[in-house]
Amino acid sequence: MKDRKKMVPIVLGLLFYLALPVQLQAMDDHLPSWNDGHSKQAIVAFVGAVTEKGGAGYVHPAERIAVFDNDGTLWSEKPAYFQLLFAIDRIKALAPQHPEWKTQQPFKAVLENDIKTLAASGEKGLIELVMASHTGMTTDEFEQIVTDWLATAKHPKFKRPYTELVYQPMLDMLQYLRDNGFKTFIVSGGGIEFMRPFTEKVYGIPPEQVIGSSIKTKFEMRNGRPVLVREPEIFFIDDKAGKPVGIQKFIGRRPIAAFGNSDGDLQMLQWTTAGKGKRFGLIVHHTDSEREWAYDRKSHVGRLSEALDQAQTKGWVVVDMKRDWKVIYPFQRE
Amino acid sequence: MKDRKKMVPIVLGLLFYLALPVQLQAMDDHLPSWNDGHSKQAIVAFVGAVTEKGGAGYVHPAERIAVFDNDGTLWSEKPAYFQLLFAIDRIKALAPQHPEWKTQQPFKAVLENDIKTLAASGEKGLIELVMASHTGMTTDEFEQIVTDWLATAKHPKFKRPYTELVYQPMLDMLQYLRDNGFKTFIVSGGGIEFMRPFTEKVYGIPPEQVIGSSIKTKFEMRNGRPVLVREPEIFFIDDKAGKPVGIQKFIGRRPIAAFGNSDGDLQMLQWTTAGKGKRFGLIVHHTDSEREWAYDRKSHVGRLSEALDQAQTKGWVVVDMKRDWKVIYPFQRE
């Protein structure tokens, strides 16, 4: 056995020599959905710097934390947040059990497809819809409800499942970072348990790396079996100044790279890029009215104004979707 | 290059053939600090079942989540929770800036080492001490305070740093599980930011896999730089029925193995072992008055009574520290 042990490093060396060209060939294909240009160069330069052993910018793999907003950064958010469209479908499905909703706002507006009145109900109305559609069941039941909806519901414009409305260039980015030792997290204003049923399959991000807004849950014994019941009370809002708070609470260390698309991501970008050493901030700017949507300073959903101004002074990369991305969605590759 | 590619699987095969005996030899040494007996057999049988490909109990690596309580499960909790001893040291260090504490309880009791009065101040007094010692600074500052304390403070009985008062058999267990594809998490009633500065170094558990109790934090800009300030308000208590809630919030899937030592871990054990498929629950029973401490049903710290009763019917393994563990602390190995 001693001889065998001695041979291990020799064979290992041989293996690496043989495998190296294969490895290099694969590396050529990182970020295949990105056009060459400043954005792609900037991310490749950053990843190169933090992974170069002995380099001035080297970051230990354990510290290679990258955080991604979800709505408008990893998937689309028009005509409205997909979670709101889920809430609307859910209210409609539950309506037979709630005859009072026929005359009660904002439910009446939902049932009558009265978008104007619904929009006028504001944040208060939105919270009422979320509480009515997202709480009262166990966590296991809610996971099943979301899973079923994602499997059947279709986006109004593209007539495809919502999970196909993800950005291929960002899927490339997630994979590229993970291939370089990064741990990728979602940090979204959206509901944590609305995202978890699909993030592993769609983004390769496991549930324990998803941070989001949440309601309170309560432990109970039902028929001798423990359950967690979703209560109609807000626990944590993971948006704006809540994002760095959520990052510290869930991850416990400062990310070195942050990816967002709206003013809701401003504080996350500030917190991430204010750390010591090499840091990277990126904003997805929605500029493609043909393949996706074009919006920024005046949009109600995904408003991008202050973060766009600060990007200049802070050196954050602003991605021009129309110019920088070869394709938007995976189904457009064919 | 084509020939090189063809050779890769051949060399890989050769490598595994050569490395196999080395690997097997290492496997013989899992759980070296555990005496042979029921406890060790039970954990080895469980790990064998969930990792056996094609077996009835096989669990995909992504689902191999194991959760560990900290106080009394991974390190000692006598004569008091180490975090309380930290709070006491901190109150003493801050006393010169707070002359009012000389006459104000529970601070007066701390400064006069009046344990009786301190104990009588109950949970209310404890929270006052924690708020006074754990809040008001930034998260970065608090991390430094904890790190400095851990580097200098000594346990009153063993005269060693608190981080040496960890259980060697549980360090074996953490490593053994990770070697078998498990992801190990801490789920503690203790403060999340009190634990994170040492868990990676001491337990091999990174900060993002630590769940605990926490206070609120607030994002602020100070001199143009973002900080997170620790506020004197409770955010989440990760104890008893709060443990399954914390697990769902942070991990988002049900663990398949849970390790605890007190009634504070009862609901975590119930939640974990009520899931489908192979499950494992373990309670560390403090039975060794010579090498550590012996306590259970009547102890104020780490009371173990209801969980001990339920262990029988639920099939949870109850570790007898005196009988099952060859050594308690790493420094006793020499």
Side-chain angles (χ1 to χ4, degrees), chain B residues 199-221:
Chain B
T199 57
E200 186 150 37
K201 203 171 144 194
V202 175
Y203 303 135
I205 296 180
E208 62 268 27
Q209 285 161 229
V210 177
I211 304 168
S213 297
S214 59
I215 46 95
K216 290 199 175 175
T217 55
K218 198 179 144 204
F219 179 85
E220 265 181 36
M221 295 301 284

Side-chain angles (χ1 to χ4, degrees), chain A residues 132-190:
Chain A
S133 55
H134 285 60
T135 71
M137 69 293 280
T138 70
T139 51
D140 285 348
E141 286 163 357
F142 185 70
E143 183 181 345
Q144 193 57 53
I145 291 166
V146 173
T147 303
D148 291 346
W149 182 79
L150 289 171
T152 54
K154 297 272 166 68
H155 186 276
K157 181 179 169 189
F158 289 94
K159 314 291 179 202
R160 286 172 179 270
Y162 289 96
T163 48
E164 291 188 22
L165 277 285
V166 295
Y167 304 134
Q168 182 60 45
M170 296 307 282
L171 297 181
D172 289 0
M173 180 72 80
L174 288 166
Q175 192 57 52
Y176 173 54
L177 291 174
R178 289 193 293 258
D179 287 346
N180 282 281
F182 280 77
K183 206 164 180 176
T184 52
F185 286 80
I186 288 174
V187 179
S188 168

Side-chain angles (χ1 to χ4, degrees), chain A residues 89-100:
Chain A
D89 282 357
R90 191 77 199 135
I91 294 293
K92 287 178 180 173
L94 291 170
Q97 297 153 247
H98 294 272
E100 74 278 13

Side-chain angles (χ1 to χ4, degrees), chain A residues 15-31:
Chain A
L15 178 76
F16 282 122
Y17 167 72
L18 289 162
L20 200 60
V22 182
Q23 180 73 11
L24 285 177
Q25 196 186 36
M27 291 288 286
D28 286 339
D29 289 324
H30 58 232
L31 304 179

Side-chain angles (χ1 to χ4, degrees), chain A residues 301-322:
Chain A
V301 172
R303 181 171 177 273
L304 173 66
S305 183
E306 204 182 335
L308 196 57
D309 294 336
Q310 292 206 13
Q312 307 301 318
T313 50
K314 296 275 166 55
W316 302 332
V317 171
V318 178
V319 168
D320 181 331
M321 283 176 80
K322 190 174 178 179

Side-chain angles (χ1 to χ4, degrees), chain B residues 29-200:
Chain B
D29 289 324
H30 58 231
L31 304 179
S33 306
W34 289 70
N35 287 313
D36 289 327
H38 170 69
S39 298
K40 186 171 178 173
Q41 279 165 18
I43 183 73
V44 171
F46 169 74
V47 171
V50 299
T51 55
E52 190 201 347
K53 281 201 176 161
Y58 181 76
V59 175
H60 190 276
E63 299 285 344
R64 291 183 205 155
I65 304 286
V67 287
F68 290 80
D69 170 58
N70 185 38
D71 298 304
T73 299
L74 294 179
W75 74 358
S76 290
E77 56 187 353
K78 296 277 181 176
Y81 292 128
F82 296 173
Q83 191 176 357
L84 177 58
L85 303 179
F86 162 75
I88 288 172
D89 283 355
R90 192 75 200 137
I91 294 294
K92 287 178 180 172
L94 292 171
Q97 295 153 248
H98 294 273
E100 73 279 13
W101 287 352
K102 277 183 196 156
T103 55
Q104 189 185 322
Q105 295 295 8
F107 304 101
K108 185 169 181 283
V110 168
L111 299 180
E112 293 171 356
N113 295 312
D114 177 359
I115 303 299
K116 213 171 163 183
T117 306
L118 183 58
S121 75
E123 195 179 328
K124 190 178 158 285
L126 185 72
I127 288 172
E128 278 186 78
L129 290 185
V130 168
M131 291 308 173
S133 55
H134 285 61
T135 72
M137 67 294 278
T138 70
T139 52
D140 286 347
E141 286 162 357
F142 186 69
E143 184 182 345
Q144 194 56 54
I145 290 166
V146 173
T147 303
D148 292 345
W149 182 79
L150 289 171
T152 53
K154 297 271 165 71
H155 186 275
K157 181 179 168 188
F158 289 94
K159 315 290 180 203
R160 287 172 178 271
Y162 289 97
T163 49
E164 291 188 21
L165 277 284
V166 296
Y167 305 133
Q168 182 60 44
M170 296 307 282
L171 298 181
D172 289 0
M173 180 71 80
L174 288 165
Q175 192 56 52
Y176 174 54
L177 291 174
R178 288 193 293 258
D179 287 345
N180 282 281
F182 280 77
K183 205 163 178 175
T184 52
F185 286 81
I186 287 174
V187 179
S188 168
I192 195 165
E193 295 200 324
F194 176 75
M195 295 182 283
R196 280 172 166 163
F198 71 89
T199 57
E200 186 150 37

